[in-house]
Structures are given as structure tokens and as C-alpha cells.
Amino acid sequence: MSVLPSRQGLPEAEVIDRREGPYGEVALRRRGGHYEIIANGCFLMDTADGRSERLLVQAALDGLAEPRPSVLIGGLGVGFSLAYAAAEPRWGRIAVAEREAAIIDWHRTGPLGAFSAGALDDPRVEVLHTDLVRYLAESADRYDALCLDIDNGPGWTVGEENDSLYGPAGLADAAARLRPGGILAVWSAQPSSAFEQALRDAGFTDVRTEEIAVERGVPDVVHLARRAA
């Protein structure tokens, strides 16, 4: 997920599909050779550059010693994180939580399937059509890694319903879904020292941040932390 750069000089966007869902309108647009996901009129992500989404998954895997670790990816988005996880044979169970039925459809039968690269057909992959915040709070499942790419990260959320994910209650729920020693990786559109402190306050250890430079503006980042063993 990347904050939208200036659109000046780029082709006009064409709406491919637009749907109303329980959280408002979600639309898929094509601009030149890339696709964009728009939620309630606000840009969320596009297919222009998946480096930070791949780092989200790789950095989590690098922190694990288990031979077949499990991972929960939230959400599906344009599919970069899921495709990268599915391309790595070391992962065992790969679950991806996505609340928007439209986005799942765009991967199963639409143009975003080219970016998830057939990962939805991988026998290790389970697509959970659910709200991630609710799933973390109510599920009894546990994972070795959580890779969260929701909204624009902890510093700026488009949907107010996502705010709690990055607060004390959401971080406590994330810790409960992790096995001892498990890794939490959180994508963000900008660095946040306040979120780093929130992770420490929630009892996580080994808190650090990795940056990925973008074409314009502040770098994308991945916040990393470990559940205490």
C-alpha cells in the first residue's frame, strides 16, 4: 500500500468496477498500466510498486526459526504480500483476511488475479472473508507471524473503524493471535515513533522499523515487533 503520488501528467483513471459494501463504496480503477483500489473516494493502494508489501512478509519470515511457520496477512489488497508469501515454500499455513467481497472477486475472476499470481489456488492459502479487527478480537487461531497492511497504517487511517487496530486493544488482540516468540509486522505509509512506543507498551520486544524509499515524499515503512516468549 502506498500513499498516492501526484497524478499530474498521468493518464486519466478508468473505473473498472464500483460496489457498495458494508463499509461504503469500493472501486477498482485502471490508470495506464496499473490498477488502483479506492475506498469511499480515497486512494488506498495501487499496483505500481510492491516492494514494501514484499518486505512486510520477508522481514517477518526472517525473524522466525520454525521450519513451516504460519502467517496471517491482513488484508488482501492488490495481492503483492500474498503472492510473495505463496512463492516462499518455507511458509506452512497462509491465511489472508479481507473484509471486502469485491476485492476478493477482483482476484478470483478479475484483473487483480495477475498480481496475486494464482496464490488463491495454493493449497496452503485460506482466504478469510472477514473484518480483521473483529477476527483478531474473536478468533482462537494462533500464528507464528501477523503481517498487517490495513488502511494507511497507524499514522493515518481512511476508515475510522480501523483506528482501534493500532491502539492498546488492537495490539493486545494481535498479541493474543501470535504464538510466543511470534512476529508482528505492520505496514505504514510513514514512520511513527509513537507507534513504536505503543508496541513496547503492549509488551512487544525487539521493536524496530525498516524503511523503503518511494518516488516522492516520506518512505513507506514496516514496523516489526516480537511477542514475548
Coordinates of all heavy atoms in Angstrom, one line a residue, residues 133 136 164-175:
V133 N -10.1 -6.6 12.3 CA -10.2 -6.1 13.7 C -11.1 -7.1 14.5 O -10.7 -7.5 15.6 CB -10.8 -4.7 13.8 CG1 -11.0 -4.3 15.2 CG2 -9.8 -3.7 13.1
L136 N -9.3 -10.6 14.9 CA -8.2 -10.7 15.9 C -8.9 -10.7 17.3 O -8.3 -11.4 18.2 CB -7.3 -9.4 15.8 CG -6.5 -9.3 14.5 CD1 -5.7 -8.1 14.5 CD2 -5.5 -10.5 14.4
S164 N -8.8 1.4 16.0 CA -8.5 0.6 17.2 C -7.5 -0.5 16.9 O -6.9 -1.0 17.9 CB -9.9 -0.1 17.6 OG -10.4 -1.0 16.6
L165 N -7.3 -0.9 15.7 CA -6.3 -1.9 15.4 C -4.9 -1.5 15.9 O -4.1 -2.4 16.3 CB -6.2 -2.1 13.8 CG -5.2 -3.1 13.3 CD1 -5.5 -4.5 13.9 CD2 -5.2 -3.2 11.8
Y166 N -4.6 -0.2 15.8 CA -3.3 0.2 16.2 C -3.2 0.8 17.6 O -2.1 1.3 18.0 CB -2.8 1.3 15.2 CG -2.9 0.8 13.7 CD1 -3.8 1.3 12.8 CD2 -2.0 -0.2 13.3 CE1 -3.8 0.8 11.5 CE2 -2.0 -0.7 12.1 CZ -2.9 -0.2 11.1 OH -3.0 -0.7 9.9
G167 N -4.3 0.7 18.4 CA -4.3 1.1 19.7 C -4.0 0.0 20.7 O -3.8 -1.2 20.3
P168 N -4.1 0.2 22.0 CA -3.8 -0.8 23.0 C -4.7 -2.0 22.8 O -4.2 -3.2 22.9 CB -4.1 -0.1 24.3 CG -3.9 1.4 24.0 CD -4.3 1.6 22.6
A169 N -6.0 -1.9 22.6 CA -6.9 -3.1 22.5 C -6.5 -3.9 21.2 O -6.4 -5.1 21.3 CB -8.3 -2.6 22.4
G170 N -6.3 -3.2 20.1 CA -5.9 -3.9 18.9 C -4.6 -4.7 19.0 O -4.4 -5.8 18.5
L171 N -3.6 -4.0 19.6 CA -2.3 -4.6 19.8 C -2.4 -5.8 20.8 O -1.7 -6.8 20.6 CB -1.3 -3.6 20.3 CG -0.9 -2.5 19.2 CD1 0.1 -1.5 19.8 CD2 -0.4 -3.2 17.9
A172 N -3.2 -5.7 21.8 CA -3.4 -6.8 22.7 C -4.1 -8.0 22.0 O -3.7 -9.2 22.2 CB -4.3 -6.4 23.9
D173 N -5.0 -7.7 21.1 CA -5.7 -8.8 20.3 C -4.6 -9.4 19.3 O -4.6 -10.6 19.1 CB -6.8 -8.2 19.5 CG -8.0 -7.9 20.4 OD1 -8.1 -8.4 21.5 OD2 -8.8 -7.0 20.0
A174 N -3.8 -8.6 18.7 CA -2.8 -9.1 17.8 C -1.8 -10.0 18.6 O -1.5 -11.1 18.1 CB -2.0 -8.0 17.2
A175 N -1.4 -9.6 19.8 CA -0.5 -10.5 20.6 C -1.2 -11.8 20.9 O -0.5 -12.8 20.9 CB -0.1 -9.7 21.9

